[in-house]
Amino acid sequence: MLMQFTVNVKKYPLAWYYVISVFIVILIIPVFLLTGADVAVDQALQKTGIQFNTDLVTAFRVVSAEPGAFFGVLLAILQVAAPDIAVFIVASIAYGQKGLLDLKNRFRFWHQGMSWQYGLKIWVICILVFSLMNLASAGLNKLLLAEQYFVWDINFFSINFWIGLVIAMFLDAGGLFEENGWRGFALPLLQKRFRPVQASIVLGFFWSMWHIPVKINLAFDYGIINFLSMFFILTCKFILISIIMTYFFNKIGQCTIIAIAMHGLSNDSLRLGGKVLSESFIDQQITEINLVMPMLVVTMFLIKQTKGKLGLISVDTSLPEVSIR
């Protein structure tokens, strides 16, 4: 059976990467519920007054203030890390040492043969684009949400802002523990089989579906119809941001660190998009739509400007051609 599993992983590495990453997420859910770890984390956040964020600094602060939340925070990080855990399993089985070396070689700021001036230019443009999308979302939230439900209190001249920006880009749990899988492994293989826009749509769709197990509580909070409506918007968001991320990922020479930064900026632990205080379905739906609209504008611009190539000059050949069925 182990031999058959190894053969299947080598034949369909992308499919197995996805199955394993979903399996890990689902496996952790009953552990959360049966141990009460989820309740411990909620109580720790309420007791400390720390606002939930996706960055590791917030996780450290919560555990430092309430050590009883450690197991819940650890489980949450392991759940987020499912794509990276899966990719190391699959890469080592399917490609051996070469697969792991390829993941390591992608973990750089820009391609080895690229000048630092050009690489730095791409980074600056990338950060500006993601920051401006967040600010555009803030503007839409300010316009469409009731005044008492929206807060925007960013001080660009504060040292805390710039520290927070670095934390958002490089210490976001989702960015740090997912992008070796999504962009570092899956995207290059998908771009061998599909055009960049098609590859991004496929990746964005499955990236969104991967979130269903951890978002299923929304079905209980808002009802199944509202949940499906919300998840449709979330799927559009994941597809659009995947297209944008593919462009910068390709422009920098298919290196993973910029994907980590983009993922972190999109999660916006810095709250450039503002803080939404309402938990109502309508306000949450409006907020998600306000995230999507700037992404749609940027996506359409990039597709038009690059004629669908999204910065891809040539197909990366570091991994062999494989089937993804």
Side-chain angles (χ1 to χ4, degrees):
M1 183 176 291
L2 181 60
M3 182 66 70
Q4 185 62 45
F5 171 72
T6 301
V7 170
N8 282 332
V9 170
K10 289 181 177 181
K11 190 174 183 181
Y12 308 115
L14 263 181
W16 276 104
Y17 157 70
Y18 190 73
V19 168
I20 293 172
S21 65
V22 171
F23 175 75
I24 293 171
V25 170
I26 294 174
L27 187 66
I28 292 174
I29 291 175
V31 181
F32 251 121
L33 299 176
L34 293 174
T35 62
D38 57 329
V39 176
V41 173
D42 288 339
Q43 290 176 345
L45 289 171
Q46 292 174 12
K47 187 175 180 180
T48 60
I50 297 173
Q51 185 176 13
F52 172 79
N53 263 329
T54 57
D55 63 276
L56 295 180
V57 173
T58 298
F60 178 78
R61 289 176 60 208
V62 170
V63 172
S64 297
E66 288 293 324
F70 172 78
F71 187 58
V73 170
L74 177 63
L75 287 176
I77 292 174
L78 285 175
Q79 206 168 43
V80 169
D84 272 17
I85 296 170
V87 80
F88 284 115
I89 293 171
V90 171
S92 61
I93 293 174
Y95 307 116
Q97 191 65 32
K98 183 185 183 304
L100 296 176
L101 184 61
D102 181 66
L103 291 174
K104 174 180 174 291
N105 288 339
R106 288 190 190 279
F107 204 83
R108 60 176 73 244
F109 284 92
W110 48 73
H111 194 275
Q112 193 170 12
M114 189 174 290
S115 71
W116 69 266
Q117 295 94 333
Y118 179 79
L120 191 59
K121 173 185 172 184
I122 298 300
W123 267 91
V124 170
I125 294 172
C126 176
I127 294 169
L128 283 174
V129 167
F130 275 81
S131 298
L132 289 173
M133 287 194 299
N134 286 332
L135 290 172
S137 295
L140 291 171
N141 285 332
K142 178 71 174 177
L143 182 66
L144 298 175
L145 295 176
E147 185 175 350
Q148 66 269 27
Y149 293 142
F150 180 72
V151 176
W152 193 89
D153 55 1
I154 299 295
N155 180 4
F156 293 109
F157 300 102
S158 167
I159 187 64
N160 290 334
F161 168 79
W162 297 102
I163 293 173
L165 182 64
V166 173
I167 291 172
M169 287 195 296
F170 301 115
L171 289 177
D172 181 80
L176 198 58
F177 296 131
E178 291 182 34
E179 287 304 330
N180 278 307
W182 299 129
R183 250 56 57 171
F185 180 75
L187 182 58
L189 289 177
L190 285 169
Q191 286 193 119
K192 289 181 178 181
R193 189 176 182 89
F194 305 108
R195 287 172 56 84
V197 174
Q198 294 171 319
S200 302
I201 291 172
V202 170
L203 182 59
F205 176 79
F206 283 103
W207 186 21
S208 175
M209 294 302 104
W210 176 82
H211 285 81
I212 287 181
V214 294
K215 297 286 188 181
I216 197 66
N217 64 296
L218 294 177
F220 298 99
D221 294 339
Y222 299 135
I224 188 64
I225 300 300
N226 288 340
F227 169 75
L228 293 174
S229 172
M230 178 72 79
F231 218 86
F232 173 76
I233 301 299
L234 288 172
T235 301
C236 291
K237 181 177 75 172
F238 280 114
I239 289 173
L240 291 172
I241 200 169
S242 289
I243 293 172
I244 299 168
M245 290 176 76
T246 295
Y247 170 77
F248 287 107
F249 179 76
N250 285 337
K251 290 291 286 184
I252 212 73
Q254 299 195 351
C255 296
T256 310
I257 295 181
I258 199 169
I260 292 170
M262 289 187 286
H263 193 137
L265 288 171
S266 69
N267 281 344
D268 193 23
S269 63
L270 196 58
R271 294 293 190 265
L272 275 176
K275 303 171 187 175
V276 179
L277 306 179
S278 172
E279 294 293 331
S280 77
F281 169 75
I282 295 299
D283 288 337
Q284 290 297 314
Q285 187 84 306
I286 289 172
T287 301
E288 290 300 325
I289 293 172
N290 290 344
L291 287 171
V292 166
M293 295 309 295
M295 292 178 188
L296 179 61
V297 172
V298 173
T299 296
M300 297 306 295
F301 174 80
L302 290 177
I303 291 175
K304 182 178 179 181
Q305 286 296 111
T306 66
K307 298 180 180 178
K309 294 181 180 179
L310 297 180
L312 185 67
I313 299 174
S314 61
V315 176
D316 180 77
T317 57
S318 55
L319 292 175
E321 190 71 41
V322 295
S323 173
I324 64 171
R325 293 192 296 272

